[in-house]
Amino acid sequence: GESRSLDNNKIDVYDCIGTLPVNIQNKCTLNTPNYHNIESECSDKSKPFVICWKPAQKEGIDRKPVAIIPIDLLWKFLEMYVKNG
């Protein structure tokens, strides 16, 4: 079905109404995901590709979730933030 097709395409957050500016893959792993390998498996190149990574917990170490995004997208977000507060 549609869900399996999206998962195979490395898209976990489905934007059924077309409002998200990115394709999102969620990961929960001990090691940092290989962004470039995963992004290359996504055939939808119409939007930037983002990985939302929740690090698996290591004993005694608090590791917070992060987003891995293209640098151009970071600059765009910063520009919008400075402009709009």
Side-chain angles (χ1 to χ4, degrees), residues 45-64:
K45 304 297 184 195
S46 67
K47 301 178 184 182
F49 186 80
V50 173
I51 294 177
C52 293
W53 176 48
K54 180 180 178 184
Q57 295 303 309
K58 287 185 177 180
E59 190 173 324
I61 300 173
D62 184 25
R63 302 184 335 149
K64 307 261 187 270

Side-chain angles (χ1 to χ4, degrees), residues 17-35:
I17 58 174
T19 58
L20 291 176
V22 297
N23 290 318
I24 300 172
Q25 167 77 193
N26 296 315
K27 291 289 184 191
C28 181
T29 58
L30 189 58
N31 296 317
T32 308
N34 187 320
Y35 175 88

Side-chain angles (χ1 to χ4, degrees), residues 74-84:
L74 173 63
W75 299 139
K76 184 181 280 187
F77 286 159
L78 290 173
E79 193 176 288
M80 288 170 40
Y81 179 79
V82 168
K83 189 179 202 179
N84 300 314

